[in-house]
Amino acid sequence: MWPHGSIPIKDYAIETPFKKPSKDDTFHEVKIDFNPSSAIEAIHFILKDEETGASYQHKGRDFRVSLVNYLEDDGNMIHAKSSFGKWPDAVEQLPNMVLKAEASCDSKNENRRLEGFYEEQPIVKEVSVGNMVNVAIRKFPDAANIVLHLETDIPGDVVVHWGVCRDDAKTWEIPAVPYPPETTVFRNKALRTLLQPTGNGSRALFTLDEKLDGFLFVLKLDANSWVNFQGNDFYIPLSSARSVKGQSDSESEETSGKAHTDGIINEIRNLVSGLNSEKSLQTKVKEAKESILNEIEKLAAEAYSIFRSSTPSYPEEDSDADDAEPTINISSGTGSGFEILCQGFNWESNKSGRWYMELKEKASEISSLGFTVIWLPPPTESVSPEGYMPKDLYNLNSRYGTIDELKDLVKSLHGVGLKVLGDVVLNHRCAHYQNQNGVWNIFGGRLNWDDRAVVGDDPHFQGRGNKSSGDNFHAAPNIDHSQDFVRKDLIEWLCWLREEIGYDGWRLDFVRGFWGGYVKDYLDASEPYFAVGEYWDSLSYTYGEMDHNQDAHRQRIVDWINATNGTAGAFDVTTKGILHSALERREYWRLSDQKGKPPGVVGWWPSRAVTFIENHDTGSTQGHWRFPGGKEMQGYAYILTHPGTPAVFYDHIVSHHRSEIGALISLRNRNKIHCRSIVEIVKAERDVYAATIDDRVAMKIGPGYYEPPSGPQRWSLALEGYDYKVWEASS
Amino acid sequence: MEVSVIRSCSQATNPKTELGFSDSRFSFGKFNEKLFSRKPNSVSFESPLRRGKSGLRITAQAAQSDRLPKSKSSTKSKTLNRIRLFAGLPLDVVSGGTVNQFRAISAGLKALKLLGLEGVELPIWWGVVEHESMGKYNWSGYLTIAEMVRKAGLKLNVTLCFHASSQPKIPLPEWVLDIGKTKSNIFFKDRAGKPYRGCLSLAVDELAVLNGKTPMEVYQDFCESFKSAFSAFIGSTITGITMGLGPDGELRYPSHRGFAKSGTVPGAGEFQCYDKNMLHLLKQHAEACGKPKWGLGGPHNAPAYSELPTANTFFKDHGGSWESPYGDFFLSWYSSQLIAHGDRLLSLASSVFSDSAVNIFGKVPLMHSWHGTRSHPSELTAGFYNTATRKGYKEVAEMFARNSCKIILPGMDQSDKYQLKESLSSPELLLAEIGTACNKHGVGISGQNSTVGAPDGLKQIKKNMLSENLNDSFIFQRIGAQFFAPEHFPLFIEFVRKLNQPEPHSGNLPTKEGTTTATDSVHTRSNLSIHMQSA
């Protein structure tokens, strides 16, 4: 009964492509013939979009066509009198699904067989349309006006809702005439111009006074759909056009503000007029709440570290602290709380020499998986190709690509809504020259430090600096961060990276090597959106067996975070280590600490824990501490449902795990799980671990049995894989 | 376009913008989310909390609290967010006129402000301010704190500590201890004659034992000096003043000395009527009652500090001396002395601060060990004549009501199930008993916890806040390393955030309605919808 082109999916399903019966037909169809006297009671199916991998279900479960009439309806049966969760949609591309079933009646069977029915089930297909808006500005020599040309390939009528501004505050105002044809004034605040159709889109020409600072607009597609630039107005600066006036005989200088609208953005703002103000207020509230929480945690960390070091400090600081008003610094280094991190490289990424360009190709794909932050490899010139032996910090041509390619990559990543972390190696730096003893400890390049910048307690490098404030990394000269000039130079460098490359934050390499208090200085100065440090040391073992209690291990990481005043998070090495033992040895009880909380950093300080299962060192081709093979998805089912900020390793998103990881990420986003979500451990036994998160998500890993209790949440199974299951509350 | 709106309350109020307490989650599609429909034709709003009584209740209250100015009155419509939350500053926040751990305090204050606390509690020590000699006050460190608190935009509840602290070590003023060296009878004494140097005996309250002045006069001068030094803050930043009433600031006798080791069953405690002046008062009283023989000393058959109540016959459940006429005579006198002492100090405070817009508080201990016996030995030795047959907190509440003072009750974090079984302890029952007495007399109750990190402590506190045991404010004791530790502080944040959000009582939710809501809201299961909590 398998239709043509079907392939088996493991041993429980068949995948069959839709076909058009004839060329002119608008419908695709699949015909499944079956013998009515066979024992088949029902056909289950879901629809899968080959292109996007998205699947369409019925009320979160399989579609189900019952072939007999005595089956109990568990709620997902079609042709039962259940209404559909999705509403009929007016979008043209929207496929309606038509079910046709015909079967001859077998009267001998005492159960009446299905005779045939026809039912239309609307489904909502997510279509992401890549549309462009091109804006070109021309300034003709000797003319006092600027001509702005706006063109888009968005089909249908497009109205530009626009204005101009004269200052950085981007305050909308209405410019003087002339206006393009089909322009109306909207509530004295903005102008609306209907774009004139062209062959494949529409356009308009705007003539603007050259003294203006900028051109602001949003696109209005119909009464309810708006396109804006990542939540903001499109903004086209006009001043740059002004500065280049009169250049050569060629007719114009062109600045092209290309804004990739990345599909038609579902602009909620104007869905319900009147709710606008409420909505934006609420968004602000949410943002403010996050930043306030971050601020509170930072302050608490500061207070904690001082109280803990019982030496009272006497008020020489009075004066400066006194006038320190409680200003709230939004840039917290810990992101929005809803971040999901992607490590955008592995140990081999340097091999091709064009990683930046390769990654650029994948930008929108990574973003569409649901990631919000991407971590790029160390960008500096390095003695080793992977980048972790930096030499000239200001030389950003590396085995991953050139500085220009890097900038271009960062721009693309920003374009698809990803924040970008630079991997900065602050602990050590390779020297350019030897000292008189032939030891390599004299630096060149823009930061031409001498041996005073090298710590004094590593005999290999004969530094003249102070003793190291942390552990030494023996393969290169360790930088002495206690030197003012070193700190000043590093701060300048980080700020330069922020400015020049556009990095939004940092992944800090080997932070065990120096005191976290210096990291605080660096982060305070460079104001990253997100920062995470690699504090990796060994867990505690007794006679080769990992101890259940890893409090000492996580305490060391928490101490480091504290030393940074909570300005940075840290990789939750503790959680990775415990997952190793729990999964490999079937000791799932390890996933609950003595107090019934998660045993890693995430159990103590979730908002600063960056959970991960693998990185370029532990896995990839190095494999220093590889996650138990075959159990990766259990690891991801854990970290992607739990609080903390989860990080996914590049190798895993290009592996066969990709779709499962994507599904977990979208489940996390859908249920608004964030770094401070509340986890309640329900079971931590030998062969199963189960927990509920924020009362919205339940999960289990391990071969053992667990089903969430039937309660007011009404759990429904959302995802299932090898030794893991995730449920969502459906009420 | 079809808009279906499911709301639990028609009165839409904008959420408070100031902070992250009301845990309403706003979820919109991410702004850079790929778009699937250009013509969304249905929007539904739904509260993530199920439609139900609890959801409706918050909404209404939020609206109400916006409109009502904070008023002390009306305990009827008590809600959690009307209980003002304070946190205590470290006991040794000031020493020798300077602020310790200045930066930590300053960071801590900001954190508490952002968290939305009403204010902080500041212990001001007699032994710090009037350290050197009588009448010479040094308020400087505390003034710095008051200024920091004011700048931080917080309120201040000041505790005037006329007692000493053992941990951290903050003794009574040096000159007082000097006097005590020669006149040890200014201190309470136990049966063995051992003085308690943690505070003055209540029997000397009105005796001129301090360089010609009575302790009451010295306390009064202290209060007057405080009032003038802090005049700029009183009524604005300083909204409450807690009068120290005895050992650890509590209205009680020092019947338990030293710290009980955790995990050991506390003893019954000892009566403290053996300093010369107490004995003198007892003798007078006995004579007045016509029982001179009863005035020669305390009960001879009471156990010692750490002995179990059963170690001797005074507290025996049945036929113990406490139930005898002698027992009644002694216990009545012993407890009335304590109440009279409290009355003296609270009326002093009320009169000194009568023209200031501040609330006066006094603290009553929660002597919950042995509450399960008939005689309540711990309460009796501490000075509360409260037994299975006699309601003893009535007089205490009356005394507070008489002085228009509010009561502070500690131990709000203690739950019965974590008490040692052998100690027959019941903090919850005792709290309810005192709470009832106070409510009856209209005495406002402010709560405190006894420790940081008691098992399920925050849960218990919240439970108490919801009950009649608490109606004014709660003072969390106290900030410090343990408070801000990553093991504790996130829990505290969660606690504060949840205060405005009543626990969903599953019993409250009509299940039928839940089902219909679920079907109504099928829309929201799709990515296309917008979820928005309306309150």
Side-chain angles (χ1 to χ4, degrees):
Chain A
M1 63 181 274
W2 293 18
H4 185 68
S6 299
I7 46 164
I9 301 296
K10 295 186 183 157
D11 55 353
Y12 59 81
I14 301 159
E15 200 172 276
T16 306
F18 273 107
K19 284 209 183 92
K20 279 191 182 180
S22 69
K23 271 214 162 172
D24 311 322
D25 227 310
T26 47
F27 287 106
H28 290 73
E29 69 171 41
V30 165
K31 271 188 181 163
I32 302 168
D33 298 321
F34 57 92
N35 180 354
S37 58
S38 69
I40 297 174
E41 289 180 340
I43 292 177
H44 286 239
F45 66 91
I46 60 167
L47 302 174
K48 188 175 149 200
D49 187 330
E50 281 286 68
E51 216 172 298
T52 62
S55 62
Y56 302 97
Q57 293 174 303
H58 180 42
K59 296 180 178 177
R61 296 164 67 183
D62 299 345
F63 289 97
R64 184 167 182 229
V65 181
S66 170
L67 304 181
V68 291
N69 70 344
Y70 56 82
L71 277 193
E72 256 182 44
D73 183 6
D74 313 348
N76 62 336
M77 193 130 63
I78 20 194
H79 193 51
K81 280 225 164 172
S82 60
S83 71
F84 239 51
K86 288 141 188 168
W87 50 83
D89 203 295
V91 179
E92 302 91 330
Q93 304 111 312
L94 232 171
N96 271 359
M97 199 186 62
V98 178
L99 282 178
K100 251 187 222 177
E102 283 165 31
S104 56
C105 185
D106 182 357
S107 55
K108 279 172 194 159
N109 197 319
E110 57 179 34
N111 288 307
R112 196 172 57 85
R113 287 272 169 185
L114 184 71
E115 290 179 0
F117 70 89
Y118 174 97
E119 200 168 298
E120 288 198 12
Q121 301 286 1
I123 57 173
V124 177
K125 184 182 179 184
E126 303 183 6
V127 185
S128 101
V129 191
N131 282 329
M132 302 290 285
V133 177
N134 274 297
V135 180
I137 305 165
R138 289 199 171 81
K139 168 77 183 89
F140 294 96
D142 309 325
N145 289 332
I146 298 169
V147 176
L148 186 144
H149 175 252
L150 191 150
E151 184 166 357
T152 177
D153 60 353
I154 299 173
D157 284 354
V158 179
V159 171
V160 188
H161 182 95
W162 62 284
V164 294
C165 63
R166 295 178 191 276
D167 51 18
D168 285 343
K170 299 181 186 167
T171 321
W172 284 62
E173 61 178 80
I174 296 181
V177 286
Y179 304 141
E182 302 266 10
T183 298
T184 54
V185 179
F186 179 73
R187 289 190 192 160
N188 259 338
K189 282 180 191 153
L191 294 168
R192 287 186 164 177
T193 304
L194 177 69
L195 295 186
Q196 302 301 310
T198 62
N200 49 357
S202 47
R203 66 190 183 123
L205 279 174
F206 302 85
T207 310
L208 303 166
D209 190 299
E210 65 168 348
K211 291 188 201 82
L212 294 169
D213 237 40
F215 179 80
L216 295 156
F217 71 98
V218 292
L219 298 181
K220 185 169 180 291
L221 305 183
D222 56 42
N224 302 317
S225 301
W226 293 76
V227 178
N228 62 14
F229 184 65
Q230 297 180 359
N232 293 314
D233 304 327
F234 287 101
Y235 172 70
I236 309 294
L238 300 174
S239 42
S240 61
R242 194 165 58 208
S243 63
V244 291
K245 82 175 159 190
Q247 246 223 355
S248 81
D249 57 330
S250 73
E251 78 283 37
S252 67
E253 181 74 14
E254 186 168 309
T255 35
S256 171
K258 258 190 197 174
H260 189 91
T261 59
D262 198 13
I264 307 158
I265 294 163
N266 186 12
E267 179 45 82
I268 297 157
R269 185 194 297 176
N270 291 57
L271 268 181
V272 184
S273 56
L275 276 169
N276 297 5
S277 54
E278 198 177 322
K279 186 232 105 195
S280 62
L281 174 67
Q282 289 174 344
T283 322
K284 273 183 209 145
V285 170
K286 185 183 156 200
E287 280 165 11
K289 273 183 189 172
E290 271 307 320
S291 66
I292 287 172
L293 266 183
N294 271 321
E295 187 64 18
I296 291 173
E297 286 180 0
K298 262 165 69 178
L299 290 165
E302 184 178 352
Y304 174 59
S305 60
I306 301 173
F307 279 130
R308 224 163 70 103
S309 62
S310 51
T311 45
S313 65
Y314 285 98
E316 54 184 272
E317 296 119 317
D318 274 17
S319 49
D320 71 323
D322 239 346
D323 26 2
E325 285 291 300
T327 48
I328 296 169
N329 184 1
I330 298 282
S331 180
S332 59
T334 51
S336 68
F338 292 86
E339 309 297 349
I340 302 175
L341 189 70
C342 169
Q343 177 174 5
F345 64 99
N346 63 21
W347 196 246
E348 302 299 313
S349 299
N350 62 81
K351 293 289 195 292
S352 69
R354 50 190 304 278
W355 182 248
Y356 292 148
M357 281 143 79
E358 289 168 28
L359 198 59
K360 189 182 158 187
E361 302 292 302
K362 296 198 154 67
S364 59
E365 194 181 322
I366 290 170
S367 158
S368 66
L369 276 170
F371 290 103
T372 63
V373 180
I374 183 166
W375 155 24
L376 298 185
T380 49
E381 176 200 23
S382 165
V383 171
S384 64
E386 297 84 13
Y388 289 101
M389 300 287 265
K391 201 169 162 191
D392 179 357
L393 299 186
Y394 279 93
N395 180 355
L396 300 191
N397 296 309
S398 71
R399 299 291 278 272
Y400 297 102
T402 66
I403 180 167
D404 291 328
E405 288 164 355
L406 174 59
K407 285 184 192 173
D408 190 38
L409 169 63
V410 171
K411 211 167 161 190
S412 307
L413 293 168
H414 283 164
V416 295
L418 288 166
K419 301 277 182 189
V420 182
L421 303 188
D423 196 330
V424 288
V425 182
L426 300 176
N427 176 68
H428 51 268
R429 182 181 168 198
C430 294
H432 290 69
Y433 313 107
Q434 290 159 289
N435 70 358
Q436 66 277 15
N437 304 331
V439 171
W440 293 87
N441 65 8
I442 310 292
F443 301 93
R446 180 158 151 194
L447 301 181
N448 53 349
W449 301 335
D450 59 12
D451 51 4
R452 283 174 305 146
V454 177
V455 295
D457 53 352
D458 185 353
H460 296 88
F461 296 103
Q462 300 180 1
R464 286 197 293 133
N466 294 315
K467 264 186 63 174
S468 173
S469 55
D471 298 334
N472 273 336
F473 173 78
H474 293 292
N478 282 237
I479 295 171
D480 178 11
H481 295 262
S482 68
Q483 305 282 356
D484 289 343
F485 72 92
V486 169
R487 284 208 306 282
K488 186 182 139 283
D489 282 350
L490 289 177
I491 284 173
E492 211 169 284
W493 178 60
L494 291 170
C495 293
W496 176 77
L497 285 177
R498 286 273 273 145
E499 186 84 354
E500 188 70 17
I501 307 301
Y503 284 126
D504 303 290
W506 316 119
R507 180 267 182 185
L508 302 151
D509 185 58
F510 199 79
V511 294
R512 261 172 68 201
F514 53 106
W515 178 49
Y518 298 130
V519 171
K520 175 186 183 310
D521 290 354
Y522 299 144
L523 298 186
D524 282 349
S526 60
E527 299 191 326
Y529 173 79
F530 189 92
V532 53
E534 179 210 26
Y535 193 101
W536 181 11
D537 66 358
S538 178
L539 278 76
S540 45
Y541 294 82
T542 310
Y543 303 118
E545 187 171 326
M546 180 184 286
D547 297 339
H548 181 201
N549 182 334
Q550 294 293 347
D551 287 356
H553 185 262
R554 56 175 163 171
Q555 184 68 59
R556 287 193 293 276
I557 296 176
V558 164
D559 282 349
W560 178 81
I561 304 171
N562 257 319
T564 73
N565 256 353
T567 52
F571 287 110
D572 190 346
V573 183
T574 321
T575 291
K576 171 170 163 70
I578 291 168
L579 279 170
H580 275 231
S581 282
L583 270 49
E584 207 160 32
R585 304 161 54 110
R586 276 207 184 182
E587 294 173 343
Y588 289 88
W589 47 265
R590 289 183 184 274
L591 291 171
S592 172
D593 70 6
Q594 276 92 343
K595 294 188 171 174
K597 298 267 174 207
V601 178
V602 71
W604 275 359
W605 202 348
S607 66
R608 297 298 185 276
V610 177
T611 49
F612 72 108
I613 70 165
E614 205 77 290
N615 63 30
H616 58 286
D617 285 323
T618 64
S620 192
T621 46
Q622 297 199 88
H624 290 318
W625 194 33
R626 199 179 293 284
F627 200 75
K631 318 240 180 200
E632 293 88 353
M633 281 318 301
Q634 286 187 62
Y636 280 123
Y638 181 87
I639 68 171
L640 287 171
T641 55
H642 277 53
T645 301
V648 178
F649 183 42
Y650 182 80
D651 286 5
H652 294 143
I653 58 169
V654 295
S655 75
H656 58 285
H657 296 313
R658 176 204 169 90
S659 62
E660 283 181 87
I661 290 173
L664 281 167
I665 292 176
S666 69
L667 180 134
R668 182 182 183 89
N669 284 332
R670 185 160 70 231
N671 288 286
K672 310 288 169 211
I673 295 175
H674 53 91
C675 66
R676 297 183 189 81
S677 283
I678 305 298
V679 55
E680 203 158 306
I681 298 177
V682 191
K683 237 181 185 182
E685 294 168 5
R686 191 181 59 84
D687 60 355
V688 64
Y689 165 86
T692 57
I693 298 92
D694 279 351
D695 293 330
R696 292 193 292 273
V697 170
M699 59 82 70
K700 77 126 194 180
I701 52 173
Y705 173 82
Y706 173 77
E707 286 287 329
S710 53
Q713 289 101 337
R714 310 209 304 151
W715 295 107
S716 65
L717 185 62
L719 291 170
E720 183 174 7
Y722 178 59
D723 279 350
Y724 77 89
K725 283 185 178 183
V726 186
W727 296 263
E728 286 172 289
S730 55
S731 55
Chain B
M1 182 170 66
E2 161 207 340
V3 180
S4 65
V5 179
I6 304 169
R7 273 198 193 171
S8 42
C9 179
S10 59
Q11 187 181 22
T13 51
N14 284 339
K16 284 189 169 183
T17 48
E18 40 183 298
L19 34 86
F21 287 3
S22 59
D23 198 26
S24 32
R25 297 189 178 83
F26 311 108
S27 39
F28 300 93
K30 268 195 332 184
F31 286 105
N32 57 355
E33 200 163 50
K34 294 270 166 65
L35 160 84
F36 11 94
S37 165
R38 290 176 56 187
K39 289 177 186 159
N41 34 22
S42 171
V43 188
S44 63
F45 299 90
E46 185 211 19
S47 151
L49 294 174
R50 243 159 290 104
R51 253 202 313 189
K53 279 174 191 157
S54 60
L56 200 134
R57 198 151 67 99
I58 338 174
T59 315
Q61 282 163 4
Q64 190 178 53
S65 70
D66 276 351
R67 265 184 246 120
L68 286 180
K70 262 168 237 128
S71 74
K72 311 177 195 174
S73 61
S74 155
T75 49
K76 274 181 191 164
S77 63
K78 182 164 83 89
T79 67
L80 273 180
N81 51 13
R82 285 190 48 235
I83 293 186
R84 296 165 301 136
L85 191 59
F86 289 76
L89 292 172
L91 291 173
D92 57 352
V93 63
V94 169
S95 55
T98 53
V99 177
N100 293 325
Q101 290 146 336
F102 185 92
R103 291 182 58 125
I105 300 292
S106 146
L109 288 177
K110 285 176 206 163
L112 297 176
K113 173 66 184 175
L114 289 176
L115 200 48
L117 265 66
E118 172 86 6
V120 291
E121 181 262 357
L122 169 67
I124 295 187
W125 299 89
W126 188 21
V128 171
V129 176
E130 204 177 351
H131 177 68
E132 269 175 60
S133 60
M134 193 167 86
K136 194 177 162 200
Y137 307 102
N138 178 2
W139 300 104
S140 59
Y142 294 113
L143 282 165
T144 310
I145 298 270
E147 182 56 26
M148 286 168 78
V149 172
R150 188 188 64 77
K151 267 194 181 165
L154 292 163
K155 299 292 181 205
L156 193 56
N157 190 327
V158 161
T159 304
L160 302 177
C161 303
F162 297 110
H163 60 275
S165 158
S166 52
Q167 189 57 263
K169 199 166 167 52
I170 305 170
L172 293 182
E174 231 172 64
W175 57 275
V176 175
L177 291 176
D178 280 347
I179 293 169
K181 274 178 195 157
T182 50
K183 295 189 214 162
S184 66
N185 282 308
I186 63 171
F187 298 119
F188 286 112
K189 284 184 179 173
D190 57 20
R191 197 157 42 173
K194 204 168 158 244
Y196 171 78
R197 295 180 196 276
C199 65
L200 299 183
S201 166
L202 58 84
V204 297
D205 276 354
E206 298 190 295
L207 300 180
V209 292
L210 300 177
N211 300 331
K213 284 199 172 185
T214 69
M216 286 306 291
E217 286 164 349
V218 171
Y219 298 151
Q220 175 154 12
D221 291 348
F222 187 90
C223 292
E224 301 277 11
S225 169
F226 165 80
K227 190 182 167 189
S228 69
F230 287 82
S231 57
F233 299 101
I234 292 174
S236 51
T237 300
I238 298 176
T239 55
I241 295 172
T242 305
M243 194 68 182
L245 300 176
D248 295 328
E250 296 173 338
L251 179 68
R252 65 174 169 90
Y253 292 94
S255 52
H256 285 87
R257 299 220 187 150
F259 282 106
K261 281 186 201 118
S262 65
T264 59
V265 179
E270 270 194 32
F271 291 109
Q272 307 284 322
C273 56
Y274 297 94
D275 68 75
K276 197 181 76 188
N277 304 300
M278 280 298 279
L279 285 171
H280 179 68
L281 291 172
L282 176 59
K283 190 163 175 251
Q284 280 183 333
H285 179 65
E287 282 164 3
C289 292
K291 302 279 185 190
K293 283 193 176 170
W294 287 355
L296 300 177
H300 67 282
N301 57 346
Y305 288 116
S306 53
E307 283 180 339
L308 298 184
T310 48
N312 214 323
T313 51
F314 188 83
F315 296 119
K316 262 193 6 191
D317 253 2
H318 294 283
S321 316
W322 63 276
E323 275 188 300
S324 69
Y326 165 74
D328 182 54
F329 157 82
F330 176 78
L331 294 169
S332 306
W333 169 78
Y334 188 68
S335 64
S336 67
Q337 289 300 312
L338 185 69
I339 289 168
H341 166 74
D343 195 23
R344 281 194 289 276
L345 283 169
L346 290 178
S347 69
L348 181 157
S350 308
S351 69
V352 170
F353 299 106
S354 60
D355 54 348
S356 316
V358 289
N359 289 316
I360 310 288
F361 294 87
K363 187 172 171 188
V364 166
L366 194 69
M367 308 303 295
H368 56 78
S369 305
W370 306 112
H371 191 73
T373 63
R374 289 188 66 237
S375 56
H376 303 184
S378 288
E379 292 169 68
L380 294 185
T381 54
F384 296 92
Y385 190 5
N386 185 53
T387 65
T389 52
R390 184 181 190 278
K391 295 219 177 302
Y393 291 98
K394 192 172 143 264
E395 292 106 321
V396 179
E398 273 169 3
M399 183 269 285
F400 273 85
R402 199 155 55 237
N403 292 298
S404 312
C405 293
K406 300 188 180 195
I407 205 164
I408 292 179
L409 291 180
M412 294 273 176
D413 55 335
Q414 304 291 316
S415 43
D416 286 0
K417 66 175 170 179
Y418 294 108
Q419 304 303 317
L420 289 172
K421 280 221 171 57
E422 302 79 6
S423 70
L424 299 174
S425 166
S426 178
E428 294 178 40
L429 280 180
L430 179 55
L431 207 52
E433 231 173 89
I434 304 177
T436 308
C438 290
N439 285 323
K440 211 166 168 182
H441 290 88
V443 176
I445 308 171
S446 172
Q448 282 187 7
N449 51 313
S450 296
T451 54
V452 172
D456 285 341
L458 294 172
K459 215 165 144 190
Q460 187 66 22
I461 291 170
K462 192 176 166 195
K463 193 171 139 194
N464 278 314
M465 288 176 115
L466 282 165
S467 75
E468 288 292 302
N469 295 343
L470 187 51
N471 54 27
D472 180 76
S473 52
F474 186 84
I475 307 176
F476 196 89
Q477 302 294 18
R478 23 190 90 253
I479 71 171
Q482 208 187 343
F483 178 81
F484 284 115
E487 279 183 274
H488 175 264
F489 194 67
L491 299 176
F492 185 75
I493 294 183
E494 202 50 42
F495 163 75
V496 175
R497 280 163 58 97
K498 280 197 172 162
L499 282 186
N500 284 8
Q501 182 195 341
E503 214 132 89
H505 295 292
S506 45
N508 259 350
L509 294 169
T511 43
K512 282 226 167 136
E513 194 184 359
T515 336
T516 43
T517 311
T519 35
D520 285 349
S521 64
V522 170
H523 291 301
T524 62
R525 300 282 305 145
S526 140
N527 284 334
L528 241 184
S529 65
I530 311 158
H531 299 231
M532 189 185 293
Q533 185 174 0
S534 58

